[in-house]
Amino acid sequence: MGLWQENGKYPNVIIELLSDSTASVNNGLKKQIYQNTFRTPDYFWFDPNNSELRGFHLVDGQYQEIELTAKSWLWSQQLGLYLGVESGKLRFFTPDDQLVMLPEEEANQQLQQTNQQLEQERQRTEILAERLRAAGIDLEQIF
């Protein structure tokens, strides 16, 4: 159990990705351990094979299944986020339904924005150069 403990404290949220070999174990024994020993407030499992997502919240020492929202998401009180399946992957969503981006997705978005800004600057430079030429100014002499 030492692996799970952080300064002697059990986790507040457990999210398990099931495989064919672990599915039956997770549904029974592990769930009992998380409920009775760890007393983990939020426990979720996701089966990538069939995109099944289930969640449980500890109420008076017993796991109660978390109801799916209209979007088939599950609310985690501990995380303050929804868990949902998008394109076959387990993803997180904010309370106002925004997808929480992965670090690589954020990096890609920043790169796209930088490229757009560079393209805008290039276009502005091109327009300026045309205006200077139209005014009879030789750019070769300036630079």
Side-chain angles (χ1 to χ4, degrees):
M1 294 288 180
L3 176 73
W4 289 92
Q5 291 176 300
E6 220 172 281
N7 302 324
K9 188 179 181 309
Y10 292 114
N12 289 341
V13 179
I14 294 174
I15 301 170
E16 285 202 282
L17 297 178
L18 303 189
S19 65
D20 292 335
S21 58
T22 62
S24 58
V25 176
N26 289 6
N27 293 358
L29 180 64
K30 282 189 177 181
K31 189 174 156 205
Q32 290 300 311
I33 292 170
Y34 300 155
Q35 174 183 279
N36 301 332
T37 306
F38 287 24
R39 300 201 179 288
T40 300
D42 285 355
Y43 167 46
F44 299 91
W45 78 62
F46 174 60
D47 187 341
N49 297 312
N50 60 13
S51 292
E52 182 191 18
L53 175 63
R54 290 182 69 189
F56 304 88
H57 182 69
L58 206 58
V59 179
D60 299 326
Q62 299 290 314
Y63 274 138
Q64 304 290 323
E65 187 149 6
I66 299 169
E67 294 283 324
L68 288 170
T69 67
K71 293 184 175 172
S72 298
W73 295 350
L74 296 174
W75 176 250
S76 169
Q77 288 185 11
Q78 294 294 314
L79 296 174
L81 294 169
Y82 289 104
L83 283 78
V85 181
E86 183 152 299
S87 304
K89 292 186 169 65
L90 182 63
R91 299 300 301 264
F92 296 97
F93 300 87
T94 64
D96 60 353
D97 298 351
Q98 298 300 305
L99 177 69
V100 176
M101 281 200 275
L102 301 170
E104 61 265 27
E105 290 172 329
E106 282 187 13
N108 281 342
Q109 192 177 57
Q110 287 172 347
L111 187 63
Q112 284 176 341
Q113 287 172 347
T114 302
N115 284 342
Q116 284 172 349
Q117 288 167 346
L118 285 171
E119 180 58 24
Q120 287 170 353
E121 288 301 317
R122 191 192 65 72
Q123 288 172 358
R124 277 200 280 268
T125 304
E126 195 62 42
I127 291 167
L128 180 61
E130 284 174 23
R131 287 183 181 165
L132 289 171
R133 277 195 291 272
I137 297 168
D138 183 2
L139 293 176
E140 299 303 318
Q141 291 176 349
I142 296 173
F143 294 110

